[in-house]
Amino acid sequence: MAEHEHVRVAVIGSGFGGLGAAVRLRREGITDFVVLERSDSVGGTWRDNSYPGCACDVPSHLYSFSFAPNPDWPRTFSGQEHIRAYLEHVADVFGLRPHLRFHAEVTRMTWNAERLCWDIETAAGRLSADAVVSATGPLSDPRLPAVKGLETFPGKVFHSARWDHGLDLRGKRVAMIGTGASAIQIVPAVQPDVAKLTLFQRTPPWVMPRVDREISGLERRLHRALPFTAQARRGLLWGIRELQVQAFTKRPNELGIVERLARRNMTRAVKDPALRAKLTPDYRIGCKRILLSNTYYPALARPNVDVVAAGLTEVRGSTLVGADGSEAEADVIIFGTGFHVTDMPIAERVVGADGRTLAETWKGGMEALRGASAAGFPNWMTIIGPNTGLGNSSMILMIESQLNYMANFLRQLNVLGGRVALDARPEAVDAWNDFVQERMKRTVWTTGGCTSWYLDARGRNTTVWPGTTAEFRRATRRVDLGEYRVLRSPAAEDGHGATAPRTAGSAAGAAADGTPQQPAEVEA
């Protein structure tokens, strides 16, 4: 990276969000951009999570970009290695390699009010950018709980997203901490090889069968020869999930029938009533993410597996102590304890117009206008921002909607002309957040009776979108300038060295009194 390099756009991260942003920038005719990646390759969470059994719980043809269909998915639910290979393919096919900057972890981003740009410090050098697209993702930084005495453990300790591939688990006593999406894949993958597997479970998940199969050669040839067949397949998968949204967001009681199917799935595999009691959730299905597996319950029923229906509270050497007082011996501890989702570390490194970090601004909870723009952080957008997650469909759909918004945001800057920036009005952010949180009240994530990683420290759901993907696409189709302040720099225009930007409220298309319009084009 050249010292003092300046670019039109800096993209942070090279997972689905970052690569998608890069493709969209090129399609918009913008080639003056870089993609800053802290690692040595693209892939994001699909690079970092390489644990045994790692796979996606969204069908392959829906978990891919609409502009980059893959007719050669090998299975209906693809494994980590296939998804990572797909992202490498996207980087090659769309000519993104020249824009990638590896080993360039962002350590600090500071808004320069005089020059109306972002000054960015990275592990590979410094640069500046007119606009920043943060695509670090919520599943990028592992969360490790504070466990008393963990430092006394003599064996290996690691998080599932930082798998130790040099460690042979055969014949070892392994403790798996957590029962989330990673754990239910790891447990059946390692159970046949280990001497003893102890699962520490704070809350049991609802697990449905995984209808996975190999995609035949005939199907793949058909999709290659007639691309519309793959599009139709994708459309059908999308439509089914759109129809399911009402149960999650408006009528949670309708999920009772799904709950009965999940109970039947457990009963078929787990014959021991005592074990079934441990594995049966006491909250409405859907409140926490519904997990898919055909092998999780059978693995737990094997004689070399113990389930501790309590979290890990203390480590005394090689002895692990559960919250219920039970003890288990282990040679290896694997944490499947999730990620920093509602307190993303990147927020501590972004310094806005008032000198505060994004983490300080979000101290009371994450919120961003249409999931993209935070007040006081001009020309800064996030992909997979607050309340853009999904509980039952593909995040790629939400990412593509946010890419539409990003593209329109940059077009608006071009139309306004000159050295210019857009800063989300606090009133507009508040109005959008109030709208989202009001809709959240009747969802299963609020009424289902569980505590999930969707909730922040104050118990507010700042993660999931309480509607359909079609609704979100309409809400992010274009930028409403009435929701932004337009900042211009006299110093950049006349060279007289003025140090503060002026606000051009009328140019922003705001109402006469400066009040932003209410969220538009979203069905209540």
Side-chain angles (χ1 to χ4, degrees):
M1 189 182 298
E3 188 72 14
H4 305 304
E5 178 182 10
H6 181 83
V7 294
R8 175 68 170 148
V9 181
V11 179
I12 318 299
S14 66
F16 268 100
L19 294 183
V23 172
R24 190 57 184 268
L25 289 172
R26 287 185 63 89
R27 294 176 70 181
E28 291 291 315
I30 299 173
T31 57
D32 182 19
F33 70 91
V34 294
V35 179
L36 304 174
E37 169 56 53
R38 67 184 177 185
S39 188
D40 59 358
S41 60
V42 303
T45 192
W46 293 106
R47 175 199 60 235
D48 296 342
N49 286 270
S50 58
Y51 57 79
C54 184
C56 189
D57 61 359
V58 175
S60 303
H61 287 86
L62 194 58
Y63 200 78
S64 47
F65 291 121
S66 63
F67 54 78
N70 178 17
D72 292 314
W73 288 117
R75 302 194 65 83
T76 52
F77 290 88
S78 290
Q80 174 264 343
E81 68 276 17
H82 300 118
I83 297 174
R84 184 177 180 185
Y86 170 78
L87 290 172
E88 294 280 3
H89 179 71
V90 168
D92 289 332
V93 167
F94 289 92
L96 306 182
R97 298 289 177 186
H99 302 278
L100 295 171
R101 304 288 188 271
F102 294 124
H103 301 294
E105 181 174 7
V106 172
T107 56
R108 196 167 184 83
M109 286 186 288
T110 306
W111 176 247
N112 188 320
E114 181 176 354
R115 295 177 56 227
L116 292 188
C117 70
W118 286 94
D119 293 327
I120 306 171
E121 300 174 28
T122 80
R126 298 183 179 186
L127 74 157
S128 58
D130 294 333
V132 168
V133 178
S134 180
T136 57
L139 306 182
S140 56
D141 291 281
R143 179 187 291 277
L144 287 171
V147 179
K148 180 181 178 182
L150 184 59
E151 70 282 357
T152 70
F153 185 71
K156 288 279 190 176
V157 179
F158 54 88
H159 190 277
S160 59
R162 301 292 184 266
W163 193 268
D164 185 346
H165 289 280
L167 177 64
D168 187 354
L169 293 179
R170 286 178 296 182
K172 290 187 168 54
R173 300 168 299 179
V174 176
M176 182 77 228
I177 316 301
T179 54
S182 299
I184 73 158
Q185 295 178 342
I186 293 170
V187 166
V190 306
Q191 175 270 321
D193 296 326
V194 303
K196 187 72 175 180
L197 178 61
T198 304
L199 177 68
F200 284 83
Q201 168 194 271
R202 283 196 309 172
T203 308
W206 285 107
V207 182
M208 293 287 288
R210 183 184 183 87
V211 188
D212 186 24
R213 65 172 178 84
E214 183 179 349
I215 297 177
S216 70
L218 177 61
E219 290 174 276
R220 291 188 293 236
R221 288 194 296 274
L222 180 65
H223 292 334
R224 283 195 298 271
L226 301 172
F228 74 87
T229 61
Q231 294 172 359
R233 184 175 193 156
R234 177 186 175 91
L236 178 62
L237 292 168
W238 168 77
I240 291 171
R241 281 155 181 77
E242 290 290 272
L243 292 174
Q244 296 170 346
V245 170
Q246 295 288 337
F248 286 85
T249 60
K250 295 181 180 180
R251 294 186 288 272
N253 286 337
E254 292 182 359
L255 291 166
I257 186 171
V258 183
E259 210 168 275
R260 289 192 290 274
L261 292 173
R263 289 178 185 273
R264 190 177 306 165
N265 180 47
M266 183 197 307
T267 302
R268 279 197 297 263
V270 181
K271 303 305 181 184
D272 180 4
L275 180 56
R276 278 205 308 270
K278 288 182 180 181
L279 300 177
T280 302
D282 62 357
Y283 54 88
R284 172 64 75 194
I285 194 169
C287 184
K288 295 166 73 78
R289 189 174 181 93
I290 301 173
L291 306 181
L292 306 179
S293 178
N294 299 326
T295 55
Y296 178 64
Y297 286 142
L300 295 184
R302 301 299 297 168
N304 67 331
V305 178
D306 279 341
V307 176
V308 177
L312 175 65
T313 58
E314 186 178 356
V315 175
R316 301 170 187 159
S318 60
T319 302
L320 279 59
V321 184
D324 60 355
S326 60
E327 297 183 357
E329 297 295 313
D331 305 308
V332 179
I333 300 177
I334 303 170
F335 283 99
T337 46
F339 301 84
H340 289 275
V341 175
T342 59
D343 58 342
M344 293 185 288
I346 189 66
E348 298 173 355
R349 308 176 188 186
V350 184
V351 183
D354 62 359
R356 292 194 303 164
T357 65
L358 185 60
E360 291 170 324
T361 300
W362 280 352
K363 189 174 182 180
M366 299 192 305
E367 51 185 52
L369 176 61
R370 302 182 189 268
S373 302
F377 297 82
N379 284 9
W380 181 90
M381 291 161 282
T382 181
I383 306 296
I384 316 183
N387 291 114
T388 61
L390 293 176
N392 75 311
S393 191
S394 173
M395 278 305 303
I396 313 306
L397 302 169
M398 301 295 279
I399 288 172
E400 290 196 28
S401 292
Q402 292 200 287
L403 298 182
N404 291 339
Y405 195 76
M406 174 202 76
N408 193 256
F409 187 103
L410 296 172
R411 285 189 220 121
Q412 297 289 355
L413 293 179
N414 288 337
V415 169
L416 291 167
R419 178 66 67 179
V420 65
L422 292 175
D423 185 12
R425 293 176 179 271
E427 314 95 289
V429 175
D430 289 343
W432 173 259
N433 191 60
D434 289 346
F435 161 76
V436 170
Q437 293 303 322
E438 181 62 31
R439 290 190 63 171
M440 196 69 71
K441 291 179 180 178
R442 53 185 172 179
T443 67
V444 68
W445 309 301
T446 300
T447 64
C450 74
T451 300
S452 72
W453 57 266
Y454 299 150
L455 310 181
D456 63 16
R458 302 172 66 189
R460 192 175 61 166
N461 191 327
T462 58
T463 305
V464 182
W465 167 245
T468 66
T469 62
E471 288 175 300
F472 188 75
R473 175 155 293 204
R474 288 195 294 271
T476 53
R477 183 182 299 150
R478 60 178 178 270
V479 169
D480 178 359
L481 284 178
E483 295 180 331
Y484 288 86
R485 295 188 306 142
V486 177
L487 308 179
R488 292 188 183 275
S489 173
E493 294 182 347
D494 57 29
H496 293 308
T499 58
R502 57 186 171 84
T503 300
S506 59
D513 63 355
T515 303
Q517 299 177 15
Q518 294 297 313
E521 300 189 328
V522 181
E523 299 171 5

